[in-house]
Amino acid sequence: MSAPILFSRGRVIDPRSQVDGVRDVLLRDGKVAEISEAPLQVPGAQVVDARGRWVLPGFIDLHVHLREPGEEGKETILTGSRSAVAGGFTAVVAMPNTKIVNDSALVTELVLSRARAANLCHVYPAGAITKGLKGEELAEMGELISAGCVCITDDGRPVMSASLMRRALQYSTLFDIPVMVHEEDLTLSGKGAMTEGPTATRLGLAPIPSSAEIVMVARDLVLLEETGGRLHIAHISCEGSVRLVREAKKRGLKVTAEATPHHFTLDDTAVGSYDTHAKMNPPLRLRRDVEALREALADGTIDAIATDHAPHGILDKQVEFEKGINGVVGLETALGLTLALVHDGVLSPLKAVELLTDGPARAFGLPGGHLGAGAPADVTLVDPEVEWAVDAERFFSKSRNTPFNGRLLKGRVTQTWVSGRLVFSDGQIKESR
Amino acid sequence: MRHLLGIEGWRREEIETLLDRAEAHLPRGSANASVLQGKVVANLFFEDSTRTRTSFEMAAKMLGAQVLNWTAAGSSVSKGETLLDTVRNIEATGPVALVIRHRSSGAPHLVAKHVRCAVINAGDGTHEHPSQALLDAFTLRKHWGKLDGRTVLIVGDILHSRVARSNILCLTALGARVVACGPPTLLPVGLKELGAEVTTNLDAALPQADAVMCLRLQLERQSESFFPSTREFSRLFGLNVARSEKMKSGALVMHPGPINRGVELAPAVADGARSVILEQVANGVAVRRAILEVCS
């Protein structure tokens, strides 16, 4: 049995218990044993001097693309796990739109076995809603859940058939798992390449109206109300969608939502002169949408910050804008971009941490996300004062596609502990295989 | 050497200097006939074109250059070669300028980031067509002396028109008032930010205009339901003879070509006394000579 670990005199921020102050945190046998206001003396403990650091529950990312199986040139479960722990994430939910779609227990088991081999962070697979993500027939939800999937989603694509979506929600009530949705009416988004607005008009790029997202949010909230189930809206991006979710929550519907750091940081002008690094789906929206997301993060309408970590190779981006593949890597910049909201006075430190920890844990019913006694010993240490410039060349992810290269951020992960084991420290991955 | 990727980014003085330089090329062949002697200009047309391609070719030859005419059809593009690989290979053969027409907005911008020779945008997607806007401004300036205080009405499919975008930027930079007119489905948001006023009422706007620029209507837009029929479009937004009579005396009729006769423009108006459509084509060569001089 390994020695207890004592984080001494750090600023502990644990949203679930509403703690924000200097505390000692003791980990024992892979669990949180105690949080103490008074200094603890634990014979034989490995002491981590956390003075000047924030001691936080390990971050949970509900939305990452690890690309394995099928596109290992962009990312693997191992490299994605490295990227995750370097960003302070101790758990990630892996999307099923791999090149062999995760619509069967076989693929779920493969993902889990590769994650065990990587042995860095918790990887929770998400299963597909429909076979092959084709939007035609339901995948075997029961089998996927038994094999270890924590939610189902056709992420990357909407379920265009309202009737099929209705049945997915109805059927999901058997398992009490969230149905995660990519909200996009494809007849409205069409061949659009960026959000509708003055920038799209100036650049002559086919526009995607906000309504492409909003009408699907509206549809799915209607279906949710009728069927029951749990709806989780992925990468919410528009003012109108936020308003619908806020109202639905007030009426008691079981709906949760996540926002990405790129959507709450950048607006459509980031496309600049056809920068494909700013091409994503949903597209970067207008300034008023960014403001609406920030407000919704602060008031609890949005439950979680998720990265939609989407690794791509250089050839996917060094092309004509409309041909550019959507997506941005996000695991290693998420904390800094979230803390920017704290520096801007949008979020309190407690709220910011909640959106990375307790919020996502509750949305999906995952273990962790807090530092209460008995919680998994997943801990992230942050130096809140250090300023650093994003350097994509130094990412642990296999891919470099980010619109934030060169951006100055304040606050950085210094250590990541998973199940009581140090997996990342001062820029180094601590692998044990 | 500099690029001409769009009118965006060009200041009024720069545009005026270029138009002045184009003046020196009228009448044909009068200025700097050998400035590109011994050099090669590459025309890279990833999309079909008659007017622009021949106009650039004529301009380059009149400056003494050799012209490489390359088209996507029958090239390695059909084998899946990327845009950057294609242009880098052509650049390696040594042209001083690449004149690029491409169906994707921003394609010349991508190319310009990766080559060392000049890149001239000969029309990219639904973004810009800067040489067309410059020749339009040149044509108007020849008639009016200066554009300040004049109103130019641009009519038709603004949403998909690179000619409209470049003209809004160019004509407003030169002091003109630009009004964009078309059905609401073909008016993109953000035209005001580009500098244009917007209307859907052609009959009300027409009497104020000193020039009316009709845009080519792409007939396949009907199947995409941007409007119910070409017949209805023509009734509401076509410049027919009766409408043309509401124009100010002396007001000009323009069209970037090719014309759908009887749809956006009645034949009698296209060929009538107000029409400067063939002048536009002729002036295009002078303007493109000036562009090649400045950029090469």
Side-chain angles (χ1 to χ4, degrees), chain B residues 232-246:
Chain B
E232 177 152 318
F233 179 90
S234 188
R235 282 162 61 108
L236 293 171
F237 297 100
L239 189 58
N240 54 30
V241 173
R243 274 213 176 93
S244 72
E245 283 164 5
K246 293 182 189 164

Side-chain angles (χ1 to χ4, degrees), chain A residues 62-123:
Chain A
L62 297 179
H63 193 155
V64 304
H65 297 271
L66 297 180
R67 303 294 183 217
E68 187 177 6
E71 291 182 293
E72 290 83 356
K74 296 182 175 188
E75 196 79 287
T76 63
I77 289 169
L78 175 61
T79 60
S81 297
R82 285 181 186 147
S83 185
V85 297
F89 290 91
T90 56
V92 297
V93 178
M95 293 298 109
N97 62 339
T98 36
K99 280 293 154 74
I100 303 171
V101 171
N102 186 6
D103 58 3
S104 72
L106 217 58
V107 182
T108 306
E109 283 159 11
L110 176 100
V111 171
L112 287 170
S113 93
R114 293 288 159 90
R116 274 193 302 275
N119 195 22
L120 285 168
C121 61
H122 308 290
V123 175

Side-chain angles (χ1 to χ4, degrees), chain B residues 7 28 36 52-53 160 163 186 194 196 199 203 209 233 240 256:
Chain B
I7 299 297
R28 297 170 53 141
L36 293 183
T52 306
R53 189 173 55 73
H160 300 101
V163 173
L186 293 173
L194 279 188
T199 180
D203 290 304
F233 179 90
N240 54 30

